[in-house]
Amino acid sequence: MHIQITKHRLVLILLGALLTMIALMLLVRLPGMVGGEPEGVTVEEKDGVYTLTDIADFAKGSFTLLPGPTYYPNILLTPETVGTASPVSIEQYDALRAEYLSQRFVIKLPDTSGVYALTFNLSGRHALRVYVNGKLAGQGGQPGTTKQDTKIWENNLTCYASPQNGEIDVLLQLAQFYHYRSGARLADLTIQSAAPLFSDGLSSETNGFFIMGALIGAAALLLCIYLLLSHTKATLYFALACLAMALRECIQSQAWTYFPVLSGNTSFMLEYLSVVLLTIFLTLYLGQYVVGRFLHAVQYTAIMGSLIYGVCVLFGDSVFYTSILIYYQILLVLCIVPGIAGLFWTMRRPNREQAAALYGIAVFYLSAISDILLYNNVFGYQHPKLPISEISMLLFVLAQTISLFLMNNRVLASAQQAEQKLAAENEALEALSRLKTEFLGNVSHELKTPLTVMSGYAQTTKQLAERPGELDGGEVSRRMKLISSEAERLSLMVGQVLDITRMEEGRMAMEKRRCHIDEIIHEAVETHYPMLNKNANRLEIHIEPGLPAVSADPARISQVIINLISNAVRFTENGLITISAKREGGDTVVCVADTGAGISAERLPHLFERYYHKEKSGGGQNTGTGLGLYICRHIVEQHGGKVWIKSQEGIGTSVFFSLPIP
C-alpha cells in the first residue's frame, strides 16, 4: 500500500493543488458573486457636464465617470489658467502622445451639503495633482513638464470635496515620464458619498501590511534557522526570496506610501528590481532539486538574464529598462515553463520535503494562471476581478517553509550522526595515538636491552681475547651463546614490526606444507632455548604420541610457539612452563602454560588487540611490544585455526591454539 502511494504521490500533489486553487477562488470571489457588492453605475459626460442630479440615494452606490470627449495634452492647467487653454478631442489621444496632460470633470449633484469621496483611477503609476472648485484638494507625487521635475506616485488618488451651488469642478493634472510607451494616461473618476459605507474587506494597503508581516516573519524565522542551526544554503536563499516578496508586496499594495523615506521614483525602480531579486533567489532555492544538464542550463540562464536586467534597472534610465522588460519577461517564460515541468518530472516520486515544496509551487502557478485567465475575461466573470495570487503566495511560502523545516531536520540529524561518528573516530584515533606512543617506548626499550647485553658481552669478550694467557674457551663460548641469544631476541622483535606492516598490506604469505607439530615444537625450543631460559624457570614438553601431520607453515607456527613461550617466561619466576600438544576431534591443539602472575578477567578480552597496553611482568620486566599475541592470532587464523586464553590471577595462564588436521 505504501509503495502504491509513493508511486502516485505526484498525482495526488497536483490534484491537491488544483482543489486548493478552486477553494481559494470560491473563498475570494463567491461573496461578491452571491451579493453584497455596492451598486456601481457608469456615467458619461453630456455637454461638458456629468449630471448626477437624478440619483435618489447617493449612499447606496458608487459612480464611475469616464473620461470626457476632450482633454488638455502637454499642459498642466491650474484654476488660474483653465480659461486660457483650448481642449483637444480625445479621438487624437492615440496619435498625440503626451507625457503630461490635464483633465476636467464638471459634476452636478443633488445634495449640495454633503461630502463626497473622489477617487482617480489610472493605468500605471503617475504623478497627480487635483484642484476642486479652484482649490488644491490632493496630490500624489509631483507633476512636472520634464522628467527631472516629475516625481511619480501610485495609480490612484482619493480626495474629498463638497459641491458649491450643486456643482463640483475638478481639474486633474497627470504626468508620466518613466515608462517608454505609456505616456500620461486618462483617468476614470469614481465618486461616492463620504458617509461611512459597509466595507467588503480590508484596504489594499492593510492587506499589504498583513502579507508583508507574514513574509518578513517567515524570512526572520528561516534566517534564525540558517544562522543558529543548519547553515543550509537553500534556507538562506528562500529567506531572501521572502524578503524580495515582501518588498514587492509593499510596492504593489501601495503600502510603501506610508514610508516617508521612499520616494515615488525609488519605489518605481524597486518595483522592477523586486522581480529580479525574487527570480534570482527562487531560482537558487529551487536549485537544490535541479538534476541534469538541461535543468542546470535553465537555472543558469534565468540567473544570468536576471542579473543583466537588474544591472539595467540599477544603472539605466527607466525608459530604457521598461522598454526591454518584454524581452526579460519572454526569457522568464522560456525558463519557468520548462524548468517547472522538469522539476516535477525529476521529483515524480518525491519524499516528504519535496512533496511539500511541489505542492506550494503547484498552488502558486495554478493560481497565477487562473488570475491571467480571469483578467482576460476567459471565465466571463462580470463582478470585480479579485486575484488569488496573493493568498496563494502565502500558501507557497508556508509550503516551502515546511519543506525547509523537514530538510533542516534531516540535515541536523545527519550532522548529529556525523558528529557522533567523528567524535568516536577522534576518540579511537587518540587512543591509537596513545597506544602507538606506548608501543614506540616499549620497542625502544626492548631494542635497547638486547643491544646493551650484546655490547657488554662483546666488550668483555674482546678484553679476554686481548689476554691470550688468560683466555678461557668455555667462558668465551658461553658469552657468545648469550650474544647469539640476544641477537635472536632482537631479530624476533624487528620481525614482529615487519610482520605488522605485511599484515596491514596483505603481504604476509603462508608457505604451507605437510609437517608434524612435535618437530616444530622441539626445533623452536632448541633454537631459542638461551633466550627462553630466563627467571630460573623449568621448561617441560608433553606431546601426545602418534599425532597426525598438519598442513602448516613451520616457520610461522614456530614463531607462534616462541612468542607464547616468551610471554610465559616474562610473567613467571622460579616456576614451571609447560608446552603440550594433543589431538582434539579434527584439530591438533597446542598449549603453552605457566605458573606465573596470571591475568585479570577484565583484561582477557583485549589481549589480542594490537598495541594493547601490557603491565609489568612478575619480575618487573617490560612486557614487550604488544604485537606478539596480535600476530599469533593472525597466523593461526590464516591456518584455519583459533587462539584462546585461560588464566587466573596468582595461579597462572594457559594459551591454546588449534590447527586443523587435513
Side-chain angles (χ1 to χ4, degrees), residues 38 54 94 117 145 155 166 204 217 242 244 266 356 398 453 507 548 551 565 607 627:
D54 297 334
D94 292 331
T145 57
N155 56 354
S204 62
C242 287
T266 301
L398 178 61
V453 173
R507 295 188 296 107
S551 177
I565 298 174
L607 291 178
L627 299 177

Side-chain angles (χ1 to χ4, degrees), residues 559-569 592 629 632 655 657:
Q559 181 180 350
V560 172
I561 294 171
I562 293 302
N563 272 327
L564 296 183
I565 298 174
S566 178
N567 284 342
V569 169
V592 177
L629 290 178
C632 289
V655 183
F657 71 89

Side-chain angles (χ1 to χ4, degrees), residues 41 76 84 151 211 320 326 357 464 476 481 556 593 653:
V41 179
L76 297 178
T84 63
K151 296 180 180 179
I211 295 174
F320 171 68
I326 183 63
L464 287 175
V476 171
K481 284 184 178 180
R556 291 300 181 186
T653 302

Side-chain angles (χ1 to χ4, degrees), residues 444-624:
S444 299
H445 181 78
E446 288 289 306
L447 294 176
K448 182 178 180 181
T449 300
L451 287 173
T452 302
V453 173
M454 293 166 63
S455 176
Y457 279 112
Q459 291 177 9
T460 57
T461 304
K462 179 182 178 183
Q463 292 173 359
L464 287 175
E466 291 175 350
R467 298 197 296 269
E470 302 178 10
L471 186 62
D472 184 352
E475 179 64 20
V476 171
S477 177
R478 185 183 68 84
R479 294 186 181 189
M480 293 305 294
K481 284 184 178 180
L482 290 172
I483 291 174
S484 177
S485 174
E486 294 300 325
E488 287 288 342
R489 178 181 172 189
L490 184 61
S491 176
L492 284 174
M493 286 187 290
V494 174
Q496 286 181 344
V497 176
L498 294 176
D499 283 342
I500 287 293
T501 304
R502 295 189 188 99
M503 288 164 57
E504 291 180 344
E505 295 177 356
R507 295 188 296 107
M508 180 181 272
M510 301 293 167
E511 299 179 1
K512 298 180 182 179
R513 60 184 177 84
R514 185 179 178 85
C515 54
H516 291 82
I517 196 67
D518 56 340
E519 295 177 357
I520 297 174
I521 293 174
H522 284 293
E523 184 177 350
V525 171
E526 182 179 351
T527 304
H528 299 87
Y529 183 76
M531 180 183 69
L532 302 176
N533 188 22
K534 303 287 185 180
N535 298 335
N537 293 312
R538 291 182 297 112
L539 180 64
E540 294 183 359
I541 300 175
H542 302 286
I543 299 177
E544 182 180 289
L547 284 178
V550 294
S551 177
D553 184 336
R556 291 300 181 186
I557 298 301
S558 178
Q559 181 180 350
V560 172
I561 294 171
I562 293 302
N563 272 327
L564 296 183
I565 298 174
S566 178
N567 284 342
V569 169
R570 291 175 184 276
F571 288 90
T572 307
E573 280 191 83
N574 299 311
L576 175 64
I577 297 174
T578 304
I579 307 172
S580 62
K582 62 180 179 178
R583 178 170 183 168
E584 290 186 1
D587 296 328
T588 295
V589 177
V590 179
C591 173
V592 177
D594 63 62
T595 57
I599 304 170
S600 62
E602 60 270 14
R603 295 180 61 238
L604 280 175
H606 306 287
L607 291 178
F608 292 102
E609 295 176 4
R610 182 175 49 173
Y611 307 130
Y612 179 67
H613 174 69
K614 305 291 192 300
E615 296 178 350
K616 295 294 182 179
S617 66
Q621 303 175 39
N622 191 282
T623 60

